[in-house]
């Protein structure tokens, strides 16, 4: 493997809100934890698949396999192997079931499936994963197929079984159902998933039922990590951690550094649900929601289903377990339901004079501290059910929370630029920009991502295949990025409502090393 292949680390650096308040153009950089050394993966055998490959190939560069053969783990493919996908479109698969992966590595020597350097590989059918310890990395998965019936669910990426599979820097879009799905224990038995750095958009055809990510998990078998993904303009919800059947499992999630916006906007009629929903009939537990970013272009209504994040939806009178909800940037407000314990701290909340925070009748399980609110505190933007919306002081008295946070300003928040270096690819980072002052350009310091002399490109995630918004040879310090409005990617293969344009107040970019 080359020098840009890294063993993962998880960013755990809290956003410094006190610094954010000190400047109207503050930039935050999230670094890897000091205990994650970034050791390269061990070298192993290398094989090749191609759109023109054959089951009769031997996996060599001159006689590549077809994709399904490669994913079936021919005998030469052992733990630690890399399967390079040559450029082009991979069609076929097992009918509606798509391509089935049985690849199985080990925790110390995963099998890696990724595009050949400098080439673009597009898988045009769903991917059903049943093996273990395989890293699917850097290619595109899409399907414009319409569902055959109204109850026909074809998840674009379905993690059907296995342990320790990882989905890294994929582009997952325009599927007939949810983008990524994994359920426990009803339909699948997958455990210890990592979904990292993916672009997930324009997925879904079933009204109110298809989401960017639709996940369940049982903490008894390990944690699911959902980190640094950019999830936008899917049919219903962005991230849906949910189960209606009582025997589903909603425990053991580490949700960090994700960007979510526009979800529900492509539905007909428009159905703007939560960017993040956690909860259902079974109790949720062992949930960490940290340093995530949401955006809404207008105020939402006073409904738990309409605010940016619903944390702890319950069906019945029970309480959820433990929660950490910290350092999130919630544009669109949030609703928090019954939790037995945890922390709600360091979050920034703003919603254009719409709903700020909605709570149920028992908000006192977690400890609240150091949250920052923007807007006018005397507006009726707060609600403790079953009471009507009220001003901040009234809501605080109703909840009995001694120090839920404070209003840091009566208007818009200050501008914010966040750079989150990719934990798998050196020279890559997500850039999140809240440009409340609507400047034509913003300054972004890339010194924690690039080295002087590196060639780079910067792409707006809403025009990822288009012309880069910036490119060149890095000379150190900051570069300028345009904040002009960009037309979101059109939905492929079906009718939809055009999603909202987010610029210039909000844009998301990815910087990458160029060849």
């Amino acid at each position: 493997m080359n020098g840009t292949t890294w063993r993962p680390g998880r960013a755990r650096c809290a956003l410094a809100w006190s610094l954010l308040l000190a400047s109207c153009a503050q930039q935050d950089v999230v670094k890897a934890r000091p205990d994650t050394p970034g050791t390269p993966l061990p070298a192993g055998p290398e094989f090749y698949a191609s759109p023109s490959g054959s089951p009769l190939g031997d996996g060599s560069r001159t006689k590549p396999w077809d994709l399904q053969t490669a994913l079936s783990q021919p005998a030469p493919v052992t733990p630690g192997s890399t399967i390079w996908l040559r450029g082009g479109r991979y069609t076929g698969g097992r009918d509606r079931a798509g391509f089935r992966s049985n690849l199985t590595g080990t925790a110390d020597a995963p099998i890696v499936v990724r595009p050949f350097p400098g080439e673009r590989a597009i898988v045009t059918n769903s991917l059903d994963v049943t093996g273990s310890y395989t890293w699917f990395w850097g290619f595109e998965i899409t399907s414009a197929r319409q569902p055959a019936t109204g109850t026909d669910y074809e998840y674009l990426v379905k993690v059907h079984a296995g342990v320790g599979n990882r989905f890294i820097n994929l582009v997952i879009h325009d599927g007939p159902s949810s983008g990524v799905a994994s359920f426990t224990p009803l339909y699948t038995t997958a455990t210890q998933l990592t979904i990292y750095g993916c672009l997930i958009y324009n997925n879904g055809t079933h009204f109110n039922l298809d989401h960017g990510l639709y996940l369940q998990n049982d903490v008894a078998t390990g944690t699911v990590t959902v980190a640094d993904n950019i999830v936008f303009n899917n049919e219903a919800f962005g991230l849906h951690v949910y189960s209606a059947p009582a025997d589903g499992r909603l425990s053991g999630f580490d949700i960090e550094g994700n960007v979510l916006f526009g979800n529900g906007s492509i539905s007909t009629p428009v159905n703007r649900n939560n960017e993040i929903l956690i909860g259902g009939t079974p109790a949720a537990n062992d949930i960490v929601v940290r340093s995530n970013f949401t955006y809404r272009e207008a105020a939402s209504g006073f409904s738990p289903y309409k605010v940016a994040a619903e944390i702890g939806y319950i069906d019945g009178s029970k309480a959820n377990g433990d929660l950490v909800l910290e350092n999130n940037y919630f544009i669109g407000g949030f609703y928090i339901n019954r939790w037995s314990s945890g922390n709600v701290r360091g979050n920034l909340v703003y919603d254009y004079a719409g709903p700020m925070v909605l709570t149920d009748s028992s908000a006192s399980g977690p400890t609240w501290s150091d949250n920052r609110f923007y807007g006018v505190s005397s507006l009726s933007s707060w609600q403790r059910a079953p009471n009507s919306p009220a001003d901040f002081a009234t809501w605080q008295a109703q909840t009995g929370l001694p120090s839920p946070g404070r209003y840091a300003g009566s208007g818009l928040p200050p501008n914010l630029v966040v750079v989150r270096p990719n934990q798998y690819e050196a020279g890559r980072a997500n850039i999140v920009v809240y440009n409340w002052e609507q400047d034509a350009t913003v300054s972004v310091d890339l010194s924690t991502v690039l080295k002087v002399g590196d060639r780079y490109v910067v792409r707006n995630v809403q025009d990822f295949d288009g012309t880069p918004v910036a490119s060149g040879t890095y000379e150190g310090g900051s570069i300028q990025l345009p904040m002009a409005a960009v037309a979101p990617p059109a939905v492929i293969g079906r009718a939809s409502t055009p999603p909202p344009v987010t610029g210039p107040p909000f844009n998301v970019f990815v910087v990458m090393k160029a060849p």
Side-chain angles (χ1 to χ4, degrees):
M1 307 295 287
N2 61 37
T4 61
T5 303
W6 302 102
R7 188 164 297 283
R10 289 184 296 174
R12 292 284 195 176
C13 183
L15 291 178
W17 296 120
S18 59
L19 292 177
L20 182 153
L21 297 174
S23 169
C24 65
Q26 176 66 39
Q27 175 166 313
D28 281 288
V29 178
V30 180
K31 299 180 180 179
R33 289 175 14 173
D35 59 346
T36 51
T39 305
L41 286 166
E46 297 185 346
F47 302 96
Y48 298 85
S50 168
S52 60
S54 166
L56 302 178
D58 58 12
S60 66
R61 187 185 294 239
T62 56
K63 296 181 179 180
W65 292 307
D66 66 283
L67 181 58
Q68 185 55 66
T69 298
L71 295 177
S72 300
Q73 194 160 356
V77 179
T78 55
S81 296
T82 296
I83 297 174
W84 295 107
L85 303 183
R86 301 309 303 261
R89 289 185 174 271
Y90 291 82
T91 60
R94 299 180 176 178
D95 301 320
R96 285 182 44 250
F99 293 97
R100 173 69 64 87
S101 175
N102 301 318
L103 294 170
T104 301
T106 65
D108 292 331
I111 294 172
V112 176
V113 181
R114 63 185 306 193
F116 189 77
E119 298 183 6
R120 180 182 178 188
I122 305 172
V123 175
T124 59
N125 203 334
S126 58
L127 177 65
D128 191 347
V129 176
T130 62
S132 294
Y133 298 113
T134 300
W135 295 11
F136 301 91
W137 186 343
F139 53 93
E140 187 173 338
I141 305 174
T142 187
S143 171
R145 195 188 71 82
Q146 293 279 359
T149 69
T151 57
D152 179 10
Y153 294 98
E154 179 188 329
Y155 305 108
L156 205 51
V157 176
K158 181 177 181 180
V159 195
H160 190 85
V163 180
N165 291 301
R166 304 191 184 190
F167 301 86
I168 304 162
N169 299 344
L170 298 170
V171 180
I172 302 168
H173 69 98
D174 291 283
S177 187
S178 294
V180 181
S182 181
F183 307 110
T184 301
L186 301 179
Y187 309 113
T188 70
T189 56
T191 61
Q192 300 175 35
L193 300 180
T194 295
I195 305 164
Y196 183 93
C198 298
L199 272 62
I200 304 172
Y201 64 90
N202 285 5
N203 295 293
T205 57
H206 303 84
F207 184 81
N208 202 46
L209 296 175
D210 293 343
H211 320 299
L213 302 105
Y214 194 174
L215 304 175
Q216 299 171 9
N217 184 58
D218 189 344
V219 71
T221 56
T223 298
V224 166
T225 298
V226 183
D228 287 284
N229 302 285
I230 302 170
V231 185
F232 63 99
N233 297 353
N234 294 286
E235 174 76 14
F237 296 77
L239 170 60
H240 201 59
V241 176
Y242 172 82
S243 175
D247 52 353
R249 297 291 182 267
L250 304 176
S251 63
F253 282 88
D254 189 348
I255 299 165
E256 184 169 347
N258 303 283
V259 187
L260 306 103
F261 61 95
N263 291 292
S265 64
I266 65 172
S267 178
T268 303
V270 172
N271 186 33
R272 291 301 292 273
N273 283 305
N274 311 122
E275 310 296 340
I276 302 173
L277 179 138
I278 298 170
T281 303
N285 191 33
D286 291 307
I287 305 293
V288 175
V289 181
R290 177 184 286 124
S291 299
N292 299 282
F293 306 89
T294 67
Y295 177 77
R296 294 271 168 120
E297 70 284 354
S300 58
F302 276 88
S303 164
Y305 304 106
K306 300 303 180 185
V307 292
E310 181 173 357
I311 309 298
Y313 166 77
I314 59 172
D315 180 12
S317 60
K318 64 184 176 303
N320 296 302
D322 186 68
L323 167 73
V324 174
L325 183 70
E326 66 179 9
N327 297 332
N328 299 285
Y329 197 105
F330 286 142
I331 304 304
F334 72 91
Y335 171 74
I336 184 167
N337 213 320
R338 300 180 184 91
W339 293 88
S340 298
S341 61
N343 290 285
V344 179
R345 61 192 176 203
N347 302 288
L348 187 150
V349 187
Y350 176 69
D351 195 18
Y352 304 97
M356 292 286 286
V357 177
L358 286 65
T359 58
D360 75 339
S361 58
S362 58
S364 58
T367 299
W368 292 57
S369 62
D370 300 322
N371 298 292
R372 301 287 185 267
F373 311 124
Y374 281 85
V376 181
S377 62
S378 60
L379 292 178
S380 295
S381 301
W382 301 77
Q383 184 175 26
R384 174 192 178 271
N387 302 306
S388 298
D391 60 26
F392 175 64
T394 301
W395 172 84
Q396 184 175 355
Q398 291 172 347
T399 61
L401 295 171
S403 56
R406 65 180 179 85
Y407 269 83
S410 59
L412 290 160
N415 282 4
L416 176 66
V417 177
V418 178
V419 177
R420 293 189 62 92
N422 194 282
Q423 301 300 304
Y424 289 83
E425 292 185 23
R428 177 171 177 148
N430 290 347
I431 303 168
V432 188
V433 181
Y434 292 92
N435 179 37
W436 299 114
E437 297 182 2
Q438 301 207 31
D439 297 325
T441 62
V442 296
S443 180
V444 182
D445 186 347
L446 295 178
S447 60
T448 59
V449 181
L450 300 172
K451 297 178 181 178
V452 173
D454 284 345
R455 298 187 66 245
Y456 69 91
V457 295
V458 181
R459 297 185 180 276
N460 190 309
V461 299
Q462 296 183 77
D463 187 24
F464 201 67
D465 297 328
T467 303
V469 298
S471 61
T473 300
Y474 185 58
E475 298 178 353
S478 297
I479 66 170
Q480 299 296 310
L481 294 182
M483 289 300 295
V486 171
V491 175
I492 299 172
R494 58 191 183 277
S496 65
T497 301
V501 175
T502 66
F506 176 78
N507 270 313
V508 186
F509 307 92
V510 178
V511 58
M512 297 170 285
K513 278 188 178 180

